[in-house]
Amino acid sequence: MENTEEMKAKKKAAQRLTTGIIIGMTVIVLGYVAYALVTKNINMRIFEVLLGIFVIGYLALSDVVEPWLTGLLKDMTQMRKNAYLKILGLDVVGAGALLYWIVGMGSEAGNNLLIPVLIYFLANQMKRKLRPEFEGLTEKVLKEQAEAEESDSEASDEEETAPEELSDKEK
């Protein structure tokens, strides 16, 4: 019980830290946009660099720093390692697609580059499906299901013997 509460506390602290950093990065990007709107002068290279740092920082915080702080990267089984490597691979694909889109924003064809955004969202959806496997939740669920099946089979065995005992008593 304490271990679960300790894990929840670590996760909450890590989420607070990463959320604070992400909010800080968002404020910087929005601050530059506000500055550009007020002065009516935007340097697209600076804007692209800020967005690129935001994308890479967000993915690094959510998929590397946060699991490291919560202890999810310790004592991983092979199944969890494989899931984590797949998540990191999907991060590279998604970030690459978003960075390609960001770099293309300044060009005239920038509005036609929505396919990279679609690739990013598809990669994110695939990551969501892998996340429980990485966190070890599937292992826990499998163990709980096995235990539940064992207790169900024991209960059904007891139920099968119980009517026989009643019939013996009735005789």
Side-chain angles (χ1 to χ4, degrees):
M1 196 72 132
E2 294 173 7
N3 194 14
T4 331
E5 291 175 13
E6 183 178 320
M7 186 67 169
K8 286 181 183 179
K10 279 184 179 181
K11 187 173 184 176
K12 195 172 188 175
Q15 286 175 340
R16 275 194 211 131
L17 175 68
T18 56
T19 301
I21 294 171
I22 290 169
I23 289 171
M25 291 188 312
T26 305
V27 166
I28 291 171
V29 171
L30 291 177
Y32 182 74
V33 169
Y35 166 79
L37 288 173
V38 169
T39 62
K40 296 181 182 175
N41 184 19
I42 188 166
N43 185 338
M44 281 307 288
R45 287 290 165 212
I46 293 174
F47 185 63
E48 290 170 357
V49 167
L50 288 175
L51 284 179
I53 291 170
F54 179 84
V55 167
I56 293 170
Y58 173 78
L59 292 174
L61 286 169
S62 66
D63 292 337
V64 177
V65 174
E66 197 170 298
W68 178 68
L69 290 175
T70 57
L72 285 173
L73 298 178
K74 294 178 185 174
D75 303 325
M76 289 198 301
T77 63
Q78 189 61 38
M79 185 174 85
R80 287 182 58 213
K81 281 182 188 178
N82 289 340
Y84 185 63
L85 291 175
K86 288 176 187 176
I87 286 172
L88 292 179
L90 289 168
D91 274 346
V92 169
V93 169
L98 269 185
L99 292 174
Y100 178 76
W101 179 71
I102 289 169
V103 169
M105 280 191 327
S107 69
E108 291 178 15
N111 293 334
N112 298 328
L113 295 173
L114 291 180
I115 291 176
V117 176
L118 178 64
I119 292 171
Y120 170 76
F121 284 117
L122 289 174
N124 243 4
Q125 291 301 317
M126 293 170 69
K127 277 177 33 180
R128 260 190 215 159
K129 291 180 182 178
L130 288 171
R131 191 71 184 202
E133 187 177 333
F134 161 61
E135 290 179 354
L137 297 178
T138 55
E139 294 172 357
K140 292 178 185 176
V141 169
L142 290 174
K143 286 180 184 177
E144 290 173 3
Q145 286 177 348
E147 291 172 2
E149 288 176 5
E150 287 177 14
S151 63
D152 286 345
S153 66
E154 290 174 7
S156 65
D157 288 343
E158 290 175 7
E159 289 175 4
E160 288 176 9
T161 56
E164 291 175 6
E165 291 174 4
L166 289 176
S167 62
D168 289 339
K169 289 180 182 177
E170 290 175 357
K171 292 180 183 179

